[in-house]
Amino acid sequence: MLRDLRRIWAQTLAIALVLGCGVMVLVGAQATQTTLIQTQAAYYERHRFADVFAGATRAPADVVQAASLIPGVAQVEGRIGFQAVLDIDGMAEPATGRILSLPAAGPGLNLPLVRRGRLPDPDQPDEVALSEPFAEIHGLTPGSRFRGVLNGHLRDLIVTGWVLSPEFIYTMPPGAMMPDDRRFGLIWMTEPAAAAAMDMAGAVNEVSLRLTRGADERAVIAALDSLLDPYGGTGAHGRDQQVSHAFLDGELQQLGAMAAFMPPIFLIVAAFLVNMVLGRLIAMERAQIGLMKALGYGRREIAGHYLKLALLIGVIGVVAGWVFGWWIADAMIGLYGDFFRFPFIIRDWGTQALVISALLGMATVVLGGMRAIWSSLKLPPAEAMQPPAPPSFARGRADRWLAALKLRQTTMMIFRSILRWPGRAAITLFGVSASVGVLVMSYFMFDAVDRLADSVFQQANRQQVTLMLDRARPDAAVQDALSQPGVLHAEGAYAMPVRAVNGHRNRLTALQGHFAGAELARLVDDAGRVVEPGPAGLVLPEMLARALDIRVGEVLRLEMLAPPRAVLNLPVTDIIAQGMGQEAHISAVALFAAMDIAPQVNMIHLGVQSDRMADLNAAIKETPAVAGLSDWAEVRRQFDATLSENLLTMVGIYTVIGVLIAVGVVYNAARIQLSERSYELASLRVLGFSRAEVGYVLVGEMMLLTLLAIPLGWVAGYWLAVGLVGAMSTDMFQIPFYITRRTFALAALAVFLAALGSVLMVRRRLDRVDLATALKARE
């Protein structure tokens, strides 16, 4: 067995690499996923992450005691939360902060983890603790000072410490699409200081609670909504709609999809390669097999010999996959740990993934080698010790067609070889097309992200700045915004928090009112089509429509969660593909008519002279009506930086994997071709054909099969990308399906070069073939 393994070591290595890639992806993704799940669970448990969250305009503090009496509630905490504009030294543009009050008795839920310094002293109203990423970027160490506009009043604040919180693992600024630790920070302030700033003594506007084991979350949410409704409740929700938790869960879901989606491709290719190599080995050793049978060796011993060889190949592949899988898992866990700022990591070594991958790896090589092994068992000893019957070379219809083309003799040999051994050609086609498919699927992500970025940043949001106002104001505020320095154009916008209800399904979302003729911020679908909401009715993104199970023409119930707290029943007039965003859309005229109020705005989009941004930033810092802002150039920069790094890493890995498949398939096929046809190729040399012409027969066949496989790989990649969109999309984010010709071309080029390199490696062995030995081998 070891001698056989040494003879086919190169083919064994190629198969093991393909098999190892499948095991690596399975072990790496699953070990990362289980590690993050365990870390998340421990972080939540140790720091008492709440189960249900709710907001209100202003509720008396004793609502907390009332909420604790709801059946199924184990613990309740109320706090004051609001937005503020921050002025940080060394930062020209204003930052946005979210202020969170700390209960006087100390927090009981969502416990902040002090990483440096201490929490604010209750007797010092100007002391605050900052989220660690924000403080770290700005160098705001304990004792540092900065300024904030709190409810219209400029305050000097003193930093006492750096904090992490399970509630803000993924911190999303208002109006942004990616975390921005430079421009958005979390600020913990003592409850008396926050109450004084917002004039909310004896009141709270945020409530969070933990449930008892087995409690009915939906019943608790309904009871909490009823309790907060008189106080401007904005809708209670569970963890599934808590932004940080939902994004983290989406990442974990995508890791699970990767572990389930990718490995089968590699395992199937590896099975075909095992069949191809083992089949050829058994064909070469048929005389020895016949002799062993004649000497009394039974089928079990012969089958066991080749089965052990297949299992040894599997062991090499599985072990290599484990090693690289652990390495990949370590790298991914490190990246996720840094990105999410987990205070600790509970490492899971992926024992379950190891066992599953080992079983799958062994099953792959056994199933792959079964057909070849079975063929060895069927051979009678007398027949096995004779040379195999030569294949039929009778002139058939295909030969006549080829002859009609008047091809060169060497080209005819290429076509005839493919026609004589269609099974082997089919395996090569399948393997190469699989590698093209994997590359198309991975490169497609660039196209999808480009399309998403173009839709969001070029087509939909063409403003430079969006101002979030502290409250809804008359549309005359838009004219006031035009007086700010550098502002060329201003458009108002209005959004209302709502609960969308369809039967037993409901979602907390926002209802966006679109003013007619808006040019800065438009509703655009993933295909770049500008969508104008009709005079009456709603436009919904696909994700929201799917979550609510509602279709065009049906009526959706919208419960407004802010004054005037009306209930609207509106028909759905359009459902659009939109990768980011889950808001419902309506024309502003229809919205304000339904609300029976005069037009208002709570956001203002600005077109600004690029050289006046500094003046505008300075003015905004002194404008009490502004509670926050989004600089869209910065949002785009964050989007590109975050996705570019992740995409480049992922695409780099998949490019290596896809190329390895092509190398493994083409190299094995070429080695078998060389082994089987060495007599014919040596004969050509003796007959006077040059080395180049003989090499052309070998290289030409492999490259012809590669060229034929590329279009099949394009089709496979297309459907793999469709599957990836479904597997990777979450409730918060949907990958737009869009593939460019560039992607198909790059995938084809990568595989073509990999195949050419592989077959040229075998071609060098052809030059070293001894003609006399090759010609005697047939005898």
Side-chain angles (χ1 to χ4, degrees):
M1 184 180 69
L2 293 177
R3 281 198 297 271
D4 282 341
L5 189 66
R6 189 173 60 186
R7 287 171 57 192
I8 60 170
W9 71 268
Q11 293 99 313
T12 298
L13 181 62
I15 297 171
L17 285 175
V18 175
L19 180 63
C21 285
V23 174
M24 177 188 73
V25 173
L26 177 61
V27 171
Q30 200 166 80
T32 304
Q33 185 191 31
T34 52
T35 294
L36 295 180
I37 287 174
Q38 291 179 16
T39 301
Q40 176 196 33
Y43 192 17
Y44 283 0
E45 185 62 29
R46 294 177 190 179
H47 292 268
R48 302 179 202 162
F49 183 47
D51 296 307
V52 174
F53 306 82
T57 304
R58 180 191 179 100
D62 56 7
V63 79
V64 174
Q65 177 61 29
S68 68
L69 300 178
I70 297 174
V73 174
Q75 191 175 3
V76 187
E77 187 169 283
R79 72 183 179 196
I80 300 168
F82 56 97
Q83 300 283 116
V85 172
L86 309 179
D87 182 12
I88 309 293
D89 288 340
M91 182 176 175
E93 63 271 33
T96 303
R98 184 177 176 196
I99 312 290
L100 303 164
S101 69
L102 291 166
L109 292 177
N110 305 319
L111 304 183
L113 172 65
V114 179
R115 302 273 285 180
R116 185 173 180 179
R118 58 174 174 80
L119 291 177
D121 186 336
D123 296 329
Q124 301 295 327
D126 293 332
E127 289 189 348
V128 295
L130 301 180
S131 52
E132 183 182 67
F134 181 74
E136 194 172 68
I137 284 180
H138 293 289
L140 292 171
T141 55
S144 303
R145 293 172 177 268
F146 66 99
R147 292 157 299 284
V149 180
L150 278 58
N151 196 26
H153 301 284
L154 184 65
R155 292 268 301 273
D156 280 325
L157 301 172
I158 305 169
V159 180
T160 62
W162 294 3
V163 166
L164 291 177
S165 167
E167 194 180 355
F168 301 101
I169 294 174
Y170 192 94
T171 309
M172 186 79 80
M177 293 179 297
M178 289 286 170
D180 185 351
D181 294 330
R182 180 173 173 270
R183 300 173 63 92
F184 181 72
L186 299 161
I187 301 170
W188 281 263
M189 174 181 280
T190 61
E191 187 175 274
M198 294 298 291
D199 192 19
M200 290 186 65
V204 296
N205 61 2
E206 293 182 7
V207 175
S208 55
L209 48 88
R210 294 195 86 184
L211 305 180
T212 57
R213 187 182 298 275
D216 184 347
E217 183 182 278
R218 294 178 60 180
V220 172
I221 288 174
L224 187 59
D225 276 338
S226 298
L227 180 65
L228 294 177
D229 192 55
Y231 310 111
T234 55
H237 57 83
R239 287 181 178 178
D240 61 324
Q241 295 185 51
Q242 202 266 347
V243 173
S244 170
H245 178 83
F247 270 96
L248 183 54
D249 258 16
E251 290 288 339
L252 297 176
Q253 179 184 329
Q254 290 176 354
L255 284 172
M258 186 191 301
F261 195 73
M262 295 294 296
I265 300 172
F266 301 98
L267 299 183
I268 292 172
V269 173
F272 278 114
L273 290 177
V274 170
N275 174 69
M276 190 163 66
V277 171
L278 214 57
R280 176 55 192 159
L281 183 65
I282 288 173
M284 291 172 63
E285 295 182 343
R286 57 181 285 146
Q288 291 90 323
I289 293 171
L291 184 60
M292 290 173 67
K293 286 183 176 179
L295 292 175
Y297 284 91
R299 290 184 169 190
R300 181 177 299 177
E301 287 86 354
I302 295 172
H305 169 75
Y306 290 108
L307 192 58
K308 284 189 285 186
L309 183 61
L311 289 173
L312 189 55
I313 296 173
V315 168
I316 296 171
V318 169
V319 171
W322 284 356
V323 172
F324 285 104
W326 280 329
W327 177 70
I328 288 280
D330 277 339
M332 293 175 70
I333 290 168
L335 285 173
Y336 278 113
D338 292 341
F339 185 74
F340 290 122
R341 295 269 181 166
F342 285 118
F344 53 84
I345 294 291
I346 297 179
R347 184 71 163 88
D348 183 277
W349 294 101
T351 308
Q352 184 182 8
L354 297 180
V355 173
I356 292 174
S357 62
L359 293 176
L360 288 175
M362 293 302 108
T364 296
V365 294
V366 169
L367 292 175
M370 193 60 71
R371 180 174 173 273
I373 294 172
W374 179 247
S375 68
S376 72
L377 300 182
K378 290 192 304 181
L379 280 176
E383 182 183 336
M385 286 188 286
Q386 295 176 358
S392 173
F393 284 103
R395 188 180 177 84
R397 185 177 300 174
D399 296 280
R400 288 193 289 275
W401 287 348
L402 292 174
L405 296 175
K406 300 185 182 304
L407 301 174
R408 293 191 322 180
Q409 193 60 39
T410 47
T411 305
M412 290 284 285
M413 291 180 68
I414 292 173
F415 282 105
R416 282 173 178 162
S417 174
I418 294 172
L419 295 172
R420 297 289 184 269
W421 289 278
R424 192 174 61 202
I427 291 174
T428 306
L429 283 174
F430 172 77
V432 176
S433 61
S435 65
V436 176
V438 169
L439 292 182
V440 169
M441 180 189 68
S442 57
Y443 294 164
F444 135 82
M445 292 298 293
F446 281 118
D447 297 332
V449 170
D450 284 347
R451 169 58 68 95
L452 186 64
D454 179 71
S455 173
V456 172
F457 297 108
Q458 302 296 329
Q459 306 298 327
N461 295 287
R462 302 190 291 184
Q463 68 275 36
Q464 279 78 46
V465 173
T466 295
L467 303 179
M468 271 68 73
L469 306 183
D470 59 345
R471 55 185 171 82
R473 294 174 179 271
D475 57 0
V478 178
Q479 298 301 316
D480 296 338
L482 281 171
S483 64
Q484 297 294 324
V487 175
L488 299 172
H489 191 39
E491 288 178 358
Y494 187 84
M496 161 75 73
V498 296
R499 185 191 302 279
V501 182
N502 183 39
H504 67 282
R505 298 171 183 266
N506 69 83
R507 283 273 163 179
L508 289 178
T509 182
L511 180 62
Q512 294 267 5
H514 292 264
F515 289 87
E519 289 293 327
L520 293 179
R522 306 180 299 177
L523 178 59
V524 178
D525 65 12
D526 285 342
R529 180 176 63 101
V530 177
V531 180
E532 290 284 352
L538 299 169
V539 178
L540 301 182
E542 281 180 349
M543 288 186 293
L544 181 59
R546 191 163 51 242
L548 294 169
D549 190 25
I550 194 166
R551 296 167 183 78
V552 172
E554 297 179 350
V555 174
L556 182 63
R557 176 186 171 92
L558 294 174
E559 300 171 357
M560 294 186 174
L561 300 174
R565 305 185 73 80
V567 176
L568 307 178
N569 291 291
L570 297 170
V572 176
T573 56
D574 198 2
I575 294 175
I576 61 173
Q578 202 175 37
M580 301 190 77
Q582 281 212 54
E583 297 85 10
H585 303 272
I586 188 173
S587 75
V589 173
L591 175 60
F592 293 119
M595 294 169 65
D596 195 22
I597 61 173
Q600 296 181 339
V601 298
N602 52 18
M603 291 184 290
I604 300 176
H605 304 297
L606 303 178
V608 185
Q609 289 177 270
S610 57
D611 58 347
R612 300 291 306 279
M613 280 298 296
D615 298 332
L616 177 64
N617 287 329
I620 289 173
K621 289 178 181 178
E622 299 175 356
T623 306
V626 177
L629 82 163
S630 290
D631 182 334
W632 284 90
E634 188 66 18
V635 173
R636 176 65 188 267
R637 190 192 65 77
Q638 289 281 342
F639 181 88
D640 289 343
T642 304
L643 287 186
S644 295
E645 182 181 356
N646 294 340
L647 276 180
L648 284 174
T649 303
M650 189 190 79
V651 169
I653 292 172
Y654 284 125
T655 298
V656 172
I657 289 173
V659 167
L660 279 179
I661 294 178
V663 169
V665 171
V666 174
Y667 183 80
N668 272 305
R671 284 295 304 269
I672 291 173
Q673 183 80 337
L674 177 62
S675 174
E676 289 184 343
R677 304 185 70 185
S678 58
Y679 178 83
E680 298 171 31
L681 299 176
S683 298
L684 290 177
R685 290 280 294 121
V686 172
L687 292 173
F689 284 83
S690 66
R691 288 179 184 273
E693 289 172 317
V694 176
Y696 167 71
V697 175
L698 179 68
V699 176
E701 180 177 339
M702 291 299 107
M703 297 316 297
L704 176 60
L705 290 173
T706 300
L707 290 175
L708 292 175
I710 285 174
L712 299 176
W714 289 341
V715 176
Y718 179 92
W719 289 109
L720 284 172
V722 171
L724 187 69
V725 168
M728 303 287 277
S729 294
T730 67
D731 289 342
M732 307 291 289
F733 176 76
Q734 177 172 293
I735 303 170
F737 180 72
Y738 179 63
I739 306 180
T740 63
R741 294 176 181 175
R742 179 192 61 181
T743 289
F744 289 120
L746 287 175
L749 180 63
V751 170
F752 183 87
L753 293 176
L756 184 61
S758 304
V759 74
L760 288 178
M761 289 170 62
V762 181
R763 163 75 173 73
R764 293 180 59 191
R765 298 178 69 90
L766 177 62
D767 293 338
R768 296 198 294 267
V769 169
D770 182 80
L771 297 182
T773 303
L775 291 173
K776 285 179 180 177
R778 177 62 60 93
E779 299 168 4

